[in-house]
Amino acid sequence: MPIIRQSSYPGAPRYLFNGHLQTVVPSLLRKVEGVVYERERFTLSDGDFVDIDWIDKSSKKLVVLTHGLEGDSHRHYIKGTAKLFAQHGWDVLAWNCRSCSGEMNRAFRLYNHGEIGDISEVINHAIRTKNYESVVLVGYSMGGNIALKYTGVQGRNMPDIIRGVAAFSAPTNLKTSAQLLDLPSNRLYRERFMKKLVKKMTHKATLHPGVIDLSNLQNVKVWKEFDDFFSAPINGYRDADDFYEQASAANFIKDVKVPVLICNAQNDPILNEDCVPKSLAEKHDLIFVETPKTGGHVGFLVKNDEYTWAERRALEFLNSRS
């Protein structure tokens, strides 16, 4: 069975003694040097754009990297993965979701956990323009959910050269994840995400007058209400419950046709076991589940190592399938 009972993660440095520290410290303090991207502005089929950051090694192998909520291609976990894969002979495509590359996107809609049209267009663009023999996907947090949902929805229709997926700290059950953000212990994460998203909603209201009612911000007491008033309607969902149902990768991954690795730490502050499809993995030959005891949310630091365990684990898992 593809449930990995004994994780290879050796654990965080001793001073990072809980899930919050294992999450916050790398997010604030980790720096990855020596990553130089070549940026391409890619026009999507609806006339909007996303910015793609490349590392071109003239390789036959490509890794596609997807960042988390309100992240971008310069987040430490994306740059770390990009640097490691490039060192091992891979081309790298680190794409920025709509509005996440430093410039607001043109369309009214933004990005979201369940949007897989954009990643599909980006992947197809890479396959059309470069002569790759194998492509793999790595996603973190929201990016992990996007990569997993894309793989499940595509099923047998996915391009043949896509060989595998590695997802870390993926909120594959969005309803549960939204509820966890409302816990008092998670106030730091909730306020950080909310501040950035409210800023974008305010910007959108300026660009599209009369479409977004910002007065509803005063009615937001829990995360679900923000999704009801803003996330769902701006992205074409009926309401928050419809958003959670359609966006959660857990509802689609049973149909994957390539190997996928799902790694969530047991002490992740903003995810719980509802985001880990162990029962499905027990009967699905292509779904590998690994749940280290520690690691936090997109943390997984290792003592005296430039790279995180997640970055090395992604390379190990996907190298063998390329």
Side-chain angles (χ1 to χ4, degrees):
M1 299 297 181
I3 294 182
I4 299 167
R5 304 292 179 184
Q6 187 65 41
S7 174
S8 63
Y9 180 47
R14 189 172 297 179
Y15 68 94
L16 302 177
F17 52 82
N18 63 32
H20 292 294
L21 287 172
Q22 291 162 20
T23 301
V24 173
V25 168
S27 178
L28 294 180
L29 301 180
R30 184 181 179 219
K31 306 296 181 186
V32 179
E33 306 294 342
V35 176
V36 180
Y37 293 127
E38 297 177 26
R39 175 155 291 190
E40 174 190 6
R41 176 151 294 186
F42 175 59
T43 301
L44 298 159
S45 59
D46 66 354
D48 207 352
F49 70 91
V50 292
D51 287 324
I52 298 173
D53 288 326
W54 292 90
I55 299 177
D56 190 342
K57 309 288 288 188
S58 299
S59 176
K60 296 294 185 181
K61 303 185 298 182
L62 173 71
V63 59
V64 177
L65 308 181
T66 308
H67 60 77
L69 182 67
E70 284 304 286
D72 57 49
S73 61
H74 288 276
R75 291 295 289 148
H76 69 93
Y77 53 85
I78 295 293
K79 290 177 72 174
T81 310
K83 184 175 180 178
L84 182 63
F85 272 76
Q87 285 179 343
H88 285 79
W90 290 75
D91 276 12
V92 176
L93 185 166
W95 72 289
N96 299 272
C97 294
R98 301 189 195 213
S99 80
C100 292
S101 60
E103 181 179 337
M104 183 58 70
N105 65 306
R106 303 185 191 106
F108 174 62
R109 53 155 292 194
L110 286 167
Y111 68 98
N112 67 85
H113 287 72
E115 167 53 51
I116 60 171
D118 290 356
I119 191 174
S120 180
E121 288 195 47
V122 167
I123 291 170
N124 291 338
H125 167 65
I127 293 172
R128 281 195 311 269
T129 55
K130 302 199 178 188
N131 190 29
Y132 293 115
E133 295 177 354
S134 63
V135 176
V136 298
L137 315 181
V138 179
Y140 292 91
S141 194
M142 178 195 74
N145 186 79
I146 289 173
L148 291 169
K149 181 186 173 184
Y150 164 79
T151 309
V153 171
Q154 291 289 314
R156 294 191 184 280
N157 296 320
M158 195 165 59
D160 291 340
I161 63 172
I162 297 182
R163 304 297 169 79
V165 178
F168 298 89
S169 305
T172 64
N173 183 319
L174 284 174
K175 184 173 183 178
T176 297
S177 302
Q179 292 169 345
L180 287 172
L181 277 174
D182 289 321
L183 293 176
S185 59
N186 288 331
R187 181 178 177 181
L188 172 67
Y189 314 116
R190 184 182 187 276
E191 291 188 350
R192 180 173 177 269
F193 287 138
M194 191 67 70
K195 182 179 180 180
K196 292 183 177 182
L197 289 170
V198 167
K199 184 177 180 180
K200 285 191 175 178
M201 292 301 169
T202 304
H203 193 167
K204 284 293 183 185
T206 301
L207 295 175
H208 303 272
V211 182
I212 299 176
D213 185 358
L214 292 178
S215 68
N216 281 321
L217 286 172
Q218 64 188 351
N219 300 319
V220 174
K221 302 296 186 291
V222 296
W223 193 274
K224 182 178 183 294
E225 291 169 342
F226 181 83
D227 287 336
D228 268 325
F229 289 126
F230 299 100
S231 305
I234 199 172
N235 289 303
Y237 299 101
R238 184 180 64 252
D239 52 25
D241 286 330
D242 182 46
F243 171 37
Y244 299 155
E245 179 72 18
Q246 292 194 48
S248 296
N251 298 327
F252 304 94
I253 55 177
K254 63 181 175 57
D255 295 319
V256 299
K257 303 302 179 187
V258 298
V260 302
L261 173 66
I262 303 171
C263 290
N264 286 8
Q266 294 176 35
N267 71 342
D268 190 315
I270 59 177
L271 304 180
N272 65 13
E273 60 185 11
D274 289 348
C275 291
V276 183
K278 286 187 177 180
S279 60
L280 180 58
E282 287 175 344
K283 55 190 177 185
H284 200 302
D285 291 339
L286 295 173
I287 298 176
F288 295 78
V289 168
E290 187 167 355
T291 55
K293 291 182 180 179
T294 62
H297 188 78
V298 195
F300 302 110
L301 288 184
V302 178
K303 185 178 180 180
N304 298 326
D305 195 340
E306 178 182 7
Y307 299 105
T308 68
W309 170 81
E311 292 154 10
R312 292 196 181 278
R313 186 71 178 95
L315 180 67
E316 176 188 43
F317 182 80
L318 296 170
N319 243 347
S320 63
R321 289 160 175 85
S322 62

